[in-house]
Amino acid sequence: MQFELSEEQMLIRRTARDFARRTLAPGAAERDRLSEFPGPELRELAGLGLLGVAVPDRLGGAEAGAVAYALAMQELAYCDASVAAIVSVTNMVAELISRVGTEAQQRTHVPRVTGGEYECASFALSEPQAGSDPAAMATRAERTASGWRLTGTKQWVTSGDRAGLIVVWAVTDAKAGHRGISAFLVPGKSEGLHVNRAEDKMGLRGSTTVQLNFDGVELADDALLGELDQGFKLALIALDGGRIGIASQAVGIARSALDAAIKYALEREQFGRAIINHQAVGNMLADCATWLDAAELLCLRAARLKEIGARFSKEASMAKLFASEHAVKLCDIALQVHGGYGYTRDFPVERAYRDVRVTKIYEGTSEIQRIVIARNLIKEASGE
Ligand code: COS
């Protein structure tokens, strides 16, 4: 990979890599098998600054920027994609509050997210009937004498049963469409907040994904994050950044699958030679390696644009679209190279194959990424 990195970016990557290979890798398969939440591992990640990689130092973050964040996510996902998923959402929430929260909200919440006091953080936007079209949400926040009352159901909430803090989007002006949605900071243990169900997922089994019910949850006045009725844009801005995280996660999972496939293809002999020397296998691996480098470069480009404050929405969607689509194909090929062994839990490629699939779906499906890219093409063509 040729992409010039600063000393600091290399340090974050090394820190994440050492931690992932030493601490995450040994237990990843077992956590997946038992659907075990990585609580102790998250505490260590907080200590390393990896729950707030791009968050300012004064709020407990590593203040290392979006490129370092993308690199760290790749390293975590290489060893344990479930941990990467939890860490990605936690970083997204920490960054969002540090960007748009009031001084008091920043000081109250961000150090608790980055420092691990909240264990992790959640992002509750989707609903059972509002996934790709979050503007159609039904959860509502009504004014009370002392603040807000939150009522509704949120779906696909990563770590929603564990997080000390959840950012929840709700309708505050039912007549205004997407211009009547606001974001709220909701403590994880709020009265009236119930975990309706935990999803029994194909992959990422070491992370939890839940449906949450907000049954008239009372919130104080200062729970409103950002401006009233302006929350929809906050969600889209946060998702733009989140998509770099998911693209990086896809790259990390795919790289682990490719490394495993190359190792296996060098060792496994058929017809008198290592199977990597059979052109059919070598060609497949050549394609995989090419896709992977292209995906990584797209991720780093999007991250770099974000870091310098340039527009990066289109590039983040391109990175997520390309990385996730190719990572899924790559994991399929890596499994194929392993033959029947790849289909067993004895080889890690089986977990990669299951874990990677959701990267084409969450934080915006591939179909949504194409919409975002196409709309940006239209904007660019019209000189906007
Ligand atoms: N950053 C900031 N603002 C943005 C934006 C972005 N990336 N994209 C759009 N906006 C603004 C628009 O400019 C518009 O602003 P105005 O109120 O001034 O008109 C507003 O947001 C609404 O935009 P738009 O009309 O394009 O919204 P749509 O409802 O058509 O939806 C998509 C846009 C499809 C991009 C959005 O709904 C989306 O990303 N959906 C997928 C959601 C998702 O990823 N869910 C998974 C969550 S993780 S479980």
Side-chain angles (χ1 to χ4, degrees):
M1 239 293 301
Q2 298 299 313
F3 193 92
E4 209 176 315
L5 299 176
S6 68
E7 284 293 321
E8 189 185 31
Q9 288 160 347
M10 285 191 283
L11 175 67
I12 292 279
R13 180 171 63 182
R14 204 160 47 242
T15 303
R17 179 175 297 176
D18 290 349
F19 172 79
R21 301 205 180 178
R22 193 188 60 243
T23 307
L24 294 182
E30 189 69 350
R31 281 191 297 277
D32 169 72
R33 199 173 64 75
L34 301 174
S35 294
E36 192 179 289
F37 192 83
E41 289 77 9
L42 285 178
R43 278 193 289 284
E44 282 196 56
L45 281 160
L48 295 171
L50 296 179
L51 297 189
V53 178
V55 168
D57 177 59
R58 71 179 182 90
L59 298 172
E63 201 169 324
V67 170
Y69 169 66
L71 296 168
M73 284 298 299
Q74 286 181 23
E75 296 300 334
L76 299 182
Y78 186 95
C79 294
D80 190 332
S82 294
V83 169
I86 301 163
V87 170
S88 156
V89 178
T90 302
N91 270 276
M92 185 160 71
V93 168
E95 259 190 69
L96 178 63
I97 304 170
S98 47
R99 282 192 49 201
V100 304
T102 61
E103 186 61 26
Q105 286 171 331
Q106 291 182 22
R107 291 202 174 279
T108 305
H109 298 293
V110 180
R112 293 190 166 109
V113 176
T114 56
E117 199 178 315
Y118 284 149
E119 190 165 50
C120 53
S122 291
F123 187 92
L125 177 69
S126 297
E127 298 187 356
Q129 303 306 328
S132 290
D133 181 14
M137 70 179 60
T139 296
R140 60 186 197 280
E142 291 154 318
R143 267 280 182 209
T144 62
S146 59
W148 301 91
R149 183 178 301 117
L150 195 59
T151 309
T153 302
K154 291 290 175 181
Q155 182 72 19
W156 312 125
V157 187
T158 300
S159 320
D161 55 338
R162 305 284 305 209
L165 184 71
I166 308 171
V167 183
V168 182
W169 275 264
V171 174
T172 37
D173 180 352
K175 293 183 292 300
H178 73 259
R179 293 182 187 152
I181 289 172
S182 308
F184 294 89
L185 295 168
V186 181
K189 296 278 176 281
S190 298
E191 201 174 321
L193 168 54
H194 309 289
V195 178
N196 273 359
R197 55 177 274 138
E199 304 301 336
D200 189 8
K201 309 191 296 290
M202 168 183 178
L204 299 187
R205 295 188 63 85
S207 80
T208 54
T209 306
V210 300
Q211 185 185 76
L212 292 178
N213 178 249
F214 299 85
D215 185 11
V217 172
E218 299 288 345
L219 300 173
D221 220 17
D222 64 0
L224 177 70
L225 177 67
E227 283 176 55
L228 182 64
D229 297 333
Q230 299 298 313
F232 189 65
K233 280 191 195 179
L234 290 189
L236 296 186
I237 292 168
L239 282 171
D240 281 342
R243 287 166 185 164
I244 298 174
I246 304 306
S248 307
Q249 183 191 25
V251 168
I253 301 170
R255 191 165 298 287
S256 74
L258 179 58
D259 285 354
I262 293 170
K263 181 168 177 286
Y264 184 83
L266 284 166
E267 288 166 1
R268 171 76 169 170
E269 291 191 4
Q270 291 291 278
F271 304 102
R273 56 193 167 141
I275 61 171
I276 200 165
N277 294 315
H278 292 296
Q279 242 179 30
V281 175
N283 283 357
M284 289 197 289
L285 294 175
D287 279 348
C288 288
T290 307
W291 296 336
L292 195 51
D293 278 9
E296 183 171 9
L297 286 167
L298 282 175
C299 285
L300 295 179
R301 176 182 71 162
R304 176 84 186 124
L305 289 172
K306 176 171 185 249
E307 195 162 293
I308 62 173
R311 273 192 187 183
F312 68 97
S313 179
K314 180 186 73 178
E315 289 77 6
S317 284
M318 285 177 162
K320 181 178 185 287
L321 174 65
F322 188 88
S324 62
E325 292 281 331
H326 287 82
V328 168
K329 286 203 280 188
L330 189 156
C331 289
D332 184 42
I333 290 174
L335 193 152
Q336 186 73 13
V337 167
H338 283 75
Y341 294 108
Y343 198 60
T344 70
R345 294 208 168 169
D346 296 341
F347 285 81
V349 73
E350 181 267 345
R351 177 162 51 92
Y353 183 81
R354 288 184 288 107
D355 284 346
V356 78
R357 185 60 180 81
V358 76
T359 63
K360 281 174 41 165
I361 300 172
Y362 68 177
E363 294 196 21
T365 60
S366 291
E367 294 67 36
I368 288 293
Q369 306 314 321
R370 290 188 179 95
I371 291 176
V372 173
I373 296 164
R375 286 188 184 174
N376 275 285
L377 296 179
I378 296 167
K379 269 195 207 162
E380 285 167 11
S382 60
E384 266 185 60

